[in-house]
Amino acid sequence: WQEHTTDDKGTVPWCYSPSAATNSYYELSDGYVLDASGLTGTLKASDPSTDDLGADLPTLALAISFDDAAMARVLITDADDATRWTIPDGIVPSALADGGGRLGSGGGLEKGKKKQQPTSTDDLAYNLTFTESPFTFTVTRKSDGVVLFASAPRLVFKDQYLELTTSLDGSASLFGLGESTQTDGLVLTP
C-alpha cells in the first residue's frame, strides 16, 4: 500500500480502494428475529453492482449472537453458499461451547470457562441497536454508554473482497476482528 498524499489531509485509509466504492448497501429483510440469544436475519443488497472486484453478493446471512453477558459474536456470510469456508469453532471457540474459552481479566483466552447464554437482554452488559435500511448496528456498554462498535451503512461483500466501515475511539483496542486471539487486542494506532 502507498500513502495517499492528495486526499483531504490524510484521512483516506491506505487500504482504501476507490474502484470498490459503490452506492449499494444492505437492508435487513422483514422476518428477522431479535431475542435473548441475539439477532438473526437476511441482508439484501439494495442495488447489487459489479466492478473490477467482482459482483456484490445479493443475499447475506446475519447472526449476532449474545454468547454471554459480556460478549457478542457477529457473523455475516453468503446466504446462498453453505459450502463457503468459515473459521472452525475449534480455532476460536464460542464461550458457550464445551471446553470453549473467553477472555480473562488479563486478556488471555481462558479455556474451560464455559458461560451460560443470557436468558434475557436485561442480563447483558451491552445494548445492541440497529437500523434496517441501510443496515447498521451499534454495540454500547450499558454501564457507561461507551460505544464499543458502530458500523456505518457502507458494507461491501463480494466473493473475494469484504469492506465493513466503522469508527472507534482513538484510544480503543479491538478484540476478535477476524477471530484474532491477540491478548492485547488489535491496537488502533494511526
Side-chain angles (χ1 to χ4, degrees):
W1 303 104
Q2 293 184 3
E3 183 173 4
H4 292 270
T5 56
T6 58
D7 64 29
D8 55 347
K9 300 179 185 171
T11 59
V12 175
W14 291 9
C15 59
Y16 175 73
S17 172
S19 64
T22 65
N23 292 325
S24 67
Y25 55 86
Y26 285 86
E27 299 173 327
L28 182 59
S29 298
D30 292 339
Y32 66 83
V33 175
L34 175 63
D35 58 23
S37 64
L39 171 66
T40 57
T42 302
L43 299 175
K44 299 276 188 183
S46 65
D47 184 20
S49 66
T50 301
D51 57 25
D52 59 338
L53 295 172
D56 291 334
L57 296 182
T59 309
L60 303 175
L62 168 72
I64 301 177
S65 59
F66 303 149
D67 278 6
D68 68 29
M71 183 170 63
R73 186 176 287 223
V74 178
L75 175 65
I76 301 173
T77 190
D78 185 349
D80 299 324
D81 186 0
T83 63
R84 183 177 292 271
W85 186 87
T86 59
I87 298 171
D89 283 337
I91 303 286
V92 180
S94 164
L96 300 174
D98 289 334
R102 72 175 328 277
L103 289 176
S105 58
L109 193 65
E110 297 177 345
K111 296 290 184 184
K113 296 287 185 178
K114 185 176 177 182
K115 298 295 180 180
Q116 296 295 321
Q117 188 170 27
T119 56
S120 164
T121 55
D122 293 337
D123 299 334
L124 301 175
Y126 51 86
N127 284 318
L128 171 70
T129 56
F130 61 93
T131 60
E132 295 176 38
S133 181
F135 176 72
T136 63
F137 68 96
T138 302
V139 178
T140 309
R141 186 181 304 128
K142 283 183 180 178
S143 63
D144 57 11
V146 169
V147 173
L148 302 174
F149 187 89
S151 71
R154 184 169 165 78
L155 172 61
V156 180
F157 207 116
K158 299 176 182 289
D159 189 43
Q160 295 186 22
Y161 181 83
L162 171 67
E163 184 178 328
L164 174 68
T165 305
T166 185
S167 63
L168 293 171
D169 182 86
S171 64
S173 291
L174 186 62
F175 289 88
L177 181 66
E179 299 294 356
S180 170
T181 58
Q182 298 177 42
T183 58
D184 294 332
L186 180 62
V187 180
L188 308 173
T189 308

